[in-house]
Amino acid sequence: MHARPRNAPSLRSALAAALLLLAAACSAPGADLPPLPESNRADVYRLGPNDEVRVTVFNDPRLTGEFRVTDTGAIALPLVGAVPARGRSTEEVERAIEREMQRKGLFRDPSVAVEVRTYRPIFVLGMVERGGQYAYQPGMTALSAVAVAGGFNYRAVQDYVSITRIGPDGRAREFRAPRDALLQPGDVVTVFERRF
């Protein structure tokens, strides 16, 4: 008859505990999400629906004003008409407005400036004190968005979040992101519930 080694139960217990920890880590909320791609602070901002811009026409101040990018992605300007803006930088929209003014014979050499006045909002959901819609500020991170929403509640996973972002193709994609991830206007931040 073979004698059972003294440490066999503890080895089995340790192995079982390790397997449980591994299973728990794999089943952590958001573990299956791809990581958020790195963003660069120098990336050019692209306009989207609900952004509000100020268009300044230097040749004619009567055409200067504030306009909202519509849900179809355009800016409707007096005399000029709808100018596509979704996915374009402010500089690209400036050139598009100038070309349209020339095409319609409004000005021979128009000069237009476009600046973002109000960015489209971000949304914070999940295990925060006051989920909802909030104003975006340049340089905002996932953690600062959570802070604006009243902070993490007692059931929150605090190490990472989910960020759902509309891509250049217009499709929403969900990513796992660290607390210091830079947000973009229109992002949806979801704070996961901790599993006890």
Side-chain angles (χ1 to χ4, degrees):
M1 198 177 332
H2 294 289
R4 185 184 299 200
R6 287 182 100 157
N7 63 352
S10 63
L11 181 59
R12 232 180 272 141
S13 298
L15 184 57
L19 287 173
L20 282 173
L21 282 174
L22 182 61
C26 291
S27 67
D32 58 339
L33 294 175
L36 182 72
E38 287 285 325
S39 62
N40 183 349
R41 288 187 190 266
D43 285 347
V44 174
Y45 179 68
R46 302 287 171 183
L47 294 170
N50 290 323
D51 281 334
E52 187 176 303
V53 296
R54 178 166 181 77
V55 177
T56 303
V57 180
F58 296 105
N59 310 65
D60 191 342
R62 295 173 298 170
L63 297 177
T64 294
E66 293 185 5
F67 306 92
R68 188 168 300 282
V69 179
T70 66
D71 58 349
T72 61
I75 300 171
L77 300 170
L79 301 177
V80 177
V83 177
R86 173 187 275 160
R88 290 181 163 182
S89 69
T90 53
E91 291 80 13
E92 290 168 337
V93 174
E94 289 169 359
R95 302 297 82 78
I97 293 170
E98 289 170 354
R99 282 192 303 274
E100 196 61 22
M101 287 179 161
Q102 287 174 329
R103 190 182 73 75
K104 292 193 172 183
L106 297 173
F107 298 103
R108 185 186 313 247
D109 188 24
S111 181
V112 175
V114 175
E115 66 176 313
V116 179
R117 299 290 291 190
T118 307
Y119 295 92
R120 56 194 180 275
I122 58 153
F123 303 86
V124 185
L125 308 172
M127 299 294 107
V128 292
E129 293 300 324
R130 294 184 310 274
Q133 173 181 312
Y134 295 95
Y136 169 82
Q137 297 296 324
M140 192 173 230
T141 64
L143 185 59
S144 58
V146 168
V148 169
F152 295 107
N153 75 20
Y154 73 97
R155 294 171 22 210
V157 172
Q158 298 186 20
D159 299 333
Y160 59 91
V161 298
S162 154
I163 295 178
T164 303
R165 178 171 290 166
I166 306 294
D169 60 358
R171 294 181 51 206
R173 290 185 178 81
E174 187 176 10
F175 303 97
R176 181 177 164 140
R179 294 160 44 127
D180 64 349
L182 287 172
L183 296 183
Q184 294 179 5
D187 281 353
V188 178
V189 177
T190 303
V191 176
F192 295 108
E193 183 175 5
R194 190 173 56 217
R195 293 183 181 150
F196 295 97

